[in-house]
Amino acid sequence: MTDAADRQAIDETHDARRTSWVPGADGHPDFPVQNLPYGIFSPQDGAARAGVAIGDQILDLAAVAAMLPPDVVPACGGNRLNALFALPRALRVTLRRRLSDLLSDEQYRAAVEPALHPADDCELHLPAMIGDYTDFYVGIHHATNVGTLFRPDNPLLPNYKHVPIGYHGRASSIRPSGVPVVRPVGQHKAPDAAEPAFGPSQRLDYELELGVWIGAGNALGTTIPIASAADHIAGFCLLNDWSARDFQAWEYQPLGPFLAKNFQTTISPWVVTAEALAPFRCAQPARPAGDPRPLPYLWDEVDQAGGALALELEVSLLTGAMRAAGLAPHRLSRGPASNMYWTVAQMVAHHASGGCNLNPGDLLGTGTISAPDREGFGSLLEITRGGSDPVALPNGETRRFVEDGDEILLSARARKDGYAQIGFGSCRAVVLPAVGG
Amino acid sequence: MTDAADRQAIDETHDARRTSWVPGADGHPDFPVQNLPYGIFSPQDGAARAGVAIGDQILDLAAVAAMLPPDVVPACGGNRLNALFALPRALRVTLRRRLSDLLSDEQYRAAVEPALHPADDCELHLPAMIGDYTDFYVGIHHATNVGTLFRPDNPLLPNYKHVPIGYHGRASSIRPSGVPVVRPVGQHKAPDAAEPAFGPSQRLDYELELGVWIGAGNALGTTIPIASAADHIAGFCLLNDWSARDFQAWEYQPLGPFLAKNFQTTISPWVVTAEALAPFRCAQPARPAGDPRPLPYLWDEVDQAGGALALELEVSLLTGAMRAAGLAPHRLSRGPASNMYWTVAQMVAHHASGGCNLNPGDLLGTGTISAPDREGFGSLLEITRGGSDPVALPNGETRRFVEDGDEILLSARARKDGYAQIGFGSCRAVVLPAVGG
């Protein structure tokens, strides 16, 4: 398939006039027929398998294999999406186009409808075997806000505008939306304490991030040029990088966060594909005058012109008392995903620039995405200024950090005139008391 | 099996009078019948499989499955040792005892000898699917030496003697001994340069470490108490944490090393089991007077009395010119593994203390193990004082850092009166020029 045909196939699947015969799909806030995210689900009493979200239903991919392009069928089997992520972009586009037709055109309804499962009856799993997880730090307002708290004289370090700062995270403790988070215990030392202590975190926080699923990888010792980096991105999810701020402050020097971040990471289980987000790409915000021009291996005009994502991100909180009173979650923040100093293509190109091999199913986090103003801060550390300025909730409660029984909910929606809105689905987890705490 | 029977079975397999019918095994510097490390190998034109090193031969485990304890046979199949690592300690001891008998007693020779392959004809692979790799920093003399270079006024940070400092590393780029390392390219900025540059590392270094293979893991949200941490350790290897010092200095703040360390990590492919090393456990060196007593979750009298390893570690260098002249590698350093401030049990207990789940086949690095004196420094950064004091080699060459064509060789040997010496085998890799460099 040529690039031009690729683009046309993507455009047709985005046509806002395209409707689905699946009841409730048209106008669904997250999963109209224009989205078609992939995931791994198990129906009641059934084995885990690959599926596509459509409205409030899930299409079982293996059950419609006979109607899919033969080249993609092997990648749609099994209980992990790694092989699907690794498909060449042209095949991913072909599969998307076919799924769009199957779910739009009434002529396929009789054959396809038996392969649908109500999402409410299904369990969702991690979409892929995550070989390695890397977390970046590209939210410049977050970096500035946190830097101000930890290093008032020197909030943004000299390397920030030259290097997409990142570090390796823990893959084993990544869990899908809905799995509760047990409050971690650990070492912490208050600045005025004589000795460290060990106990449940007193400064448990969330971090609002996007996750990036790697598609085709690169061999060890080779690189991924910035101009082709976008081809290595299979899709996106929401990511909550749970953080124990008290542990972090005590342990992070000189080698970075460790136990403060590895007790659990929550992701949304649906993989919103790069193809689904194609209409919502936008120009990377212009660098402020005086900012350095990135080195050539990080600079690509096409990426600058369309490598950012027009997504609106939100964080909400539902406390135990709010839940008991039947109240709705309270929005803590809202802001655009464009508050990233580096694009995801720059993250990928930088990661592989020294020869490190990326693999299909690797996960990258963007780092916390904050807006410049408090209404768009992506963590409680920033919203409450390190706990000194509590948030007042509508029911009279206040929060400095996350308390037991609190549920944190992240959401992402893409909107653009002339296009159907698409979303990322649920990324939520409730905090349970520490074991023995 | 009772603990007492366990210990007896381990002791008998260590009897220095025990000999093997395998020619060359008795007195082998690494692999006499008292060692019996596991690995994954492929014979010429054969598939990868599990094996045991004995002298200069490799025993194919699957080929002698009929003679092994039935409970362990499933874990000995396949091309990864993860299931073998996960076996309960009692079964690991039973397997070791049986293998020791099979390779010692002449009555088994006719049946077992056909399952031997000359090691020189075999390829060795990574022994396990490494889910997550974590690198610690427990070599206190290394931490002090490096701290002095980076922070002369504050070499050892206040948390060092309270927290076993660690951080997550890259699993995908770990390779077995023998795989060449391509010199990485990357961003670096000399302190006196106005802007960063991008190119081949000018300060490529090795780091001498031990690797620790995790056996039985823990579930997310649970911990591994210090008293049982040793039961979660399947074995050990050598680990060279290749490091680009110029990239590291520029990128590591505030979140730790990233591209400076993830381009490749070399490990020795044989897993020297915790059971094989049992006679070589020794007391953890006493903490200097005035050092803080660790928090209770890190403190166990049994671990302090026998949780350290009496191993002698060495690093050697073979330059391209030395190789061409037929010279032997030149030893750069030698020192004991007991220069670790924290034991491996403390590393494991700390890692899981916040609920992070470890899995069979996870790999921990100790961090660079340096002795207090220059003869025992575990990296060129320390030996050459950041490149300012070059090493003179016997053939007239000098080295500040690792050059193209250089091969770095690590070794570890356990010796104790009354016991046969055992070793870790080869951990070596040659450095190739940067791509396009």
Side-chain angles (χ1 to χ4, degrees):
Chain A
M1 190 179 282
T2 65
D3 277 4
D6 254 23
R7 279 192 298 276
Q8 186 182 358
I10 294 174
D11 290 348
E12 287 173 356
T13 60
H14 277 290
D15 191 322
R17 294 163 301 185
R18 189 166 270 244
T19 57
S20 174
W21 50 259
V22 177
D26 298 340
H28 191 280
D30 287 327
F31 306 136
V33 73
Q34 286 81 4
N35 192 346
L36 303 176
Y38 300 107
I40 296 291
F41 76 103
S42 43
Q44 283 180 313
D45 306 321
R49 64 196 72 179
V52 174
I54 176 72
D56 296 319
Q57 305 282 320
I58 303 175
L59 174 65
D60 181 336
L61 275 179
V64 296
M67 289 181 275
L68 300 180
D71 287 354
V72 307
V73 169
C76 295
N79 61 0
R80 302 289 190 189
L81 295 176
N82 298 69
L84 193 146
F85 289 174
L87 286 176
R89 177 182 159 78
L91 284 183
R92 296 204 309 256
V93 169
T94 302
L95 173 59
R96 172 179 169 80
R97 175 56 197 256
R98 180 63 177 165
L99 289 167
S100 179
D101 288 347
L102 291 176
L103 293 164
S104 294
D105 195 326
E106 279 284 347
Q107 68 167 307
Y108 300 116
R109 181 170 187 165
V112 172
E113 200 158 25
L116 292 178
H117 297 263
D120 282 348
D121 296 342
C122 297
E123 185 181 359
L124 284 158
H125 308 281
L126 290 181
M129 204 286 287
I130 303 169
D132 278 291
Y133 161 51
T134 302
D135 202 18
F136 281 84
Y137 197 56
V138 304
I140 188 169
H141 306 300
H142 171 75
T144 305
N145 292 338
V146 172
T148 302
L149 290 170
F150 283 88
R151 299 174 300 275
D153 300 335
N154 194 18
L156 213 54
L157 293 168
N159 56 12
Y160 190 86
K161 292 183 173 180
H162 298 275
V163 182
I165 296 292
Y167 67 110
H168 300 296
R170 182 81 191 175
S172 73
S173 53
I174 299 172
R175 290 292 179 276
S177 177
V179 177
V181 174
V182 177
R183 177 180 300 272
V185 297
Q187 266 199 56
H188 48 271
K189 181 179 170 299
D192 55 351
E195 297 293 333
F198 186 77
S201 172
Q202 302 300 310
R203 294 164 71 88
L204 180 62
D205 202 357
Y206 62 85
E207 289 193 339
L208 167 66
E209 304 193 14
L210 285 177
V212 182
W213 291 104
I214 297 297
N218 61 304
L220 184 66
T222 71
T223 63
I224 298 177
I226 180 76
S228 60
D231 292 340
H232 293 261
I233 297 167
F236 298 85
C237 63
L238 285 159
L239 188 150
N240 183 345
D241 180 24
W242 295 97
S243 300
R245 301 297 181 194
D246 37 2
F247 306 170
Q248 186 176 355
W250 175 229
E251 76 172 4
Y252 91 105
Q253 285 190 317
L255 297 178
F258 181 39
L259 302 191
K261 301 262 192 179
N262 72 6
F263 56 93
Q264 193 153 324
T265 300
T266 302
I267 61 172
S268 57
W270 290 110
V271 179
V272 179
T273 63
E275 291 73 35
L277 287 168
F280 306 101
R281 305 307 290 237
C282 57
Q284 177 72 356
R287 285 169 186 261
D291 275 14
R293 183 187 171 93
L295 284 160
Y297 80 102
L298 292 172
W299 189 257
D300 180 69
E301 296 293 345
V302 175
D303 183 49
Q304 291 296 309
L309 289 163
L311 282 172
E312 186 175 77
L313 308 175
E314 279 192 25
V315 183
S316 297
L317 165 66
L318 183 70
T319 69
M322 291 164 69
R323 191 181 306 109
L327 299 174
H330 172 70
R331 188 173 68 224
L332 292 172
S333 72
R334 181 166 59 184
S338 55
N339 283 310
M340 291 164 53
Y341 193 78
W342 302 98
T343 67
V344 290
Q346 287 172 320
M347 289 161 50
V348 168
H350 181 66
H351 202 319
S353 65
C356 178
N357 55 322
L358 306 185
N359 288 307
D362 283 349
L363 182 65
L364 314 183
T366 55
T368 310
I369 302 175
S370 288
D373 51 283
R374 189 174 190 270
E375 287 63 39
F377 286 177
S379 67
L380 280 173
L381 180 73
E382 296 165 82
I383 294 174
T384 69
R385 299 172 194 274
S388 63
D389 184 9
V391 181
L393 304 177
N395 68 341
E397 292 185 283
T398 61
R399 283 294 180 274
R400 297 184 313 114
F401 288 99
V402 181
E403 299 192 3
D404 292 345
D406 287 357
E407 186 168 22
I408 298 294
L409 306 90
L410 312 184
S411 72
R413 298 265 158 70
R415 297 189 187 90
K416 187 178 181 181
D417 284 349
Y419 288 87
Q421 169 184 306
I422 66 173
F424 278 46
S426 187
C427 184
R428 56 197 293 168
V430 69
V431 172
L432 302 181
V435 174
Chain B
M1 189 178 281
T2 64
D3 278 3
D6 256 23
R7 279 194 296 275
Q8 187 183 356
I10 294 174
D11 289 348
E12 287 173 357
T13 61
H14 278 289
D15 192 323
R17 294 163 300 184
R18 190 166 269 244
T19 57
S20 174
W21 49 259
V22 177
D26 298 339
H28 192 280
D30 286 328
F31 306 135
V33 72
Q34 286 81 4
N35 192 347
L36 304 176
Y38 300 107
I40 296 292
F41 76 103
S42 43
Q44 283 181 314
D45 305 321
R49 64 196 72 179
V52 175
I54 176 74
D56 295 319
Q57 305 283 318
I58 302 175
L59 174 66
D60 182 336
L61 276 179
V64 296
M67 288 181 275
L68 299 180
D71 286 355
V72 306
V73 169
C76 295
N79 61 0
R80 301 290 190 189
L81 295 177
N82 298 70
L84 194 146
F85 290 174
L87 286 176
R89 178 182 158 77
L91 284 183
R92 296 205 309 256
V93 170
T94 302
L95 174 58
R96 172 179 169 80
R97 175 57 197 255
R98 179 64 177 166
L99 289 167
S100 179
D101 289 346
L102 290 176
L103 292 164
S104 295
D105 195 328
E106 278 284 346
Q107 69 167 305
Y108 301 115
R109 181 169 187 165
V112 172
E113 200 157 26
L116 292 178
H117 297 264
D120 282 349
D121 296 343
C122 298
E123 185 182 358
L124 285 158
H125 307 281
L126 289 181
M129 204 287 288
I130 304 170
D132 277 290
Y133 162 51
T134 301
D135 203 18
F136 281 85
Y137 197 55
V138 304
I140 187 167
H141 306 300
H142 172 74
T144 305
N145 293 338
V146 172
T148 302
L149 289 169
F150 282 89
R151 299 174 301 274
D153 300 334
N154 195 16
L156 212 55
L157 293 168
N159 56 12
Y160 190 86
K161 292 184 174 181
H162 297 276
V163 182
I165 296 292
Y167 67 111
H168 298 114
R170 182 80 190 176
S172 74
S173 54
I174 299 173
R175 290 294 179 274
S177 177
V179 177
V181 174
V182 177
R183 178 180 299 273
V185 297
Q187 264 198 58
H188 49 269
K189 181 179 170 297
D192 55 351
E195 296 294 334
F198 186 78
S201 172
Q202 302 300 310
R203 294 165 71 90
L204 179 62
D205 202 358
Y206 62 85
E207 290 193 339
L208 167 66
E209 304 193 14
L210 285 177
V212 181
W213 291 105
I214 298 297
N218 62 304
L220 183 67
T222 71
T223 63
I224 297 177
I226 179 77
S228 59
D231 292 341
H232 293 261
I233 296 167
F236 297 85
C237 63
L238 286 159
L239 187 150
N240 183 345
D241 181 23
W242 295 97
S243 299
R245 302 297 181 194
D246 37 2
F247 305 170
Q248 186 177 355
W250 176 229
E251 77 171 5
Y252 91 106
Q253 286 191 315
L255 297 178
F258 181 40
L259 302 192
K261 302 262 193 178
N262 72 6
F263 55 92
Q264 193 153 324
T265 301
T266 302
I267 62 171
S268 56
W270 290 110
V271 179
V272 179
T273 63
E275 291 74 35
L277 288 168
F280 307 101
R281 304 307 291 237
C282 58
Q284 176 72 354
R287 285 169 186 261
D291 274 15
R293 183 187 172 94
L295 285 159
Y297 81 101
L298 292 172
W299 190 257
D300 180 69
E301 296 294 344
V302 175
D303 183 48
Q304 291 297 309
L309 288 163
L311 281 172
E312 187 175 77
L313 308 175
E314 280 192 24
V315 183
S316 298
L317 165 66
L318 183 70
T319 69
M322 291 164 69
R323 191 181 306 109
L327 298 174
H330 172 69
R331 189 173 68 224
L332 292 172
S333 72
R334 180 166 59 184
S338 56
N339 283 310
M340 293 164 52
Y341 193 78
W342 301 97
T343 67
V344 290
Q346 287 172 321
M347 289 160 53
V348 168
H350 181 66
H351 202 320
S353 65
C356 178
N357 55 323
L358 307 185
N359 288 307
D362 284 349
L363 182 64
L364 314 183
T366 55
T368 310
I369 302 175
S370 288
D373 51 284
R374 189 174 189 272
E375 287 64 37
F377 286 177
S379 67
L380 280 173
L381 181 72
E382 296 165 82
I383 293 174
T384 69
R385 297 171 195 276
S388 62
D389 184 9
V391 181
L393 304 177
N395 68 343
E397 291 185 283
T398 60
R399 283 294 180 274
R400 296 184 314 114
F401 288 99
V402 181
E403 298 192 4
D404 292 347
D406 287 357
E407 186 168 22
I408 298 294
L409 306 90
L410 313 183
S411 72
R413 297 265 159 71
R415 297 188 188 92
K416 188 178 179 180
D417 284 349
Y419 289 87
Q421 168 183 307
I422 67 174
F424 278 47
S426 186
C427 184
R428 55 198 293 168
V430 69
V431 171
L432 302 182
V435 175

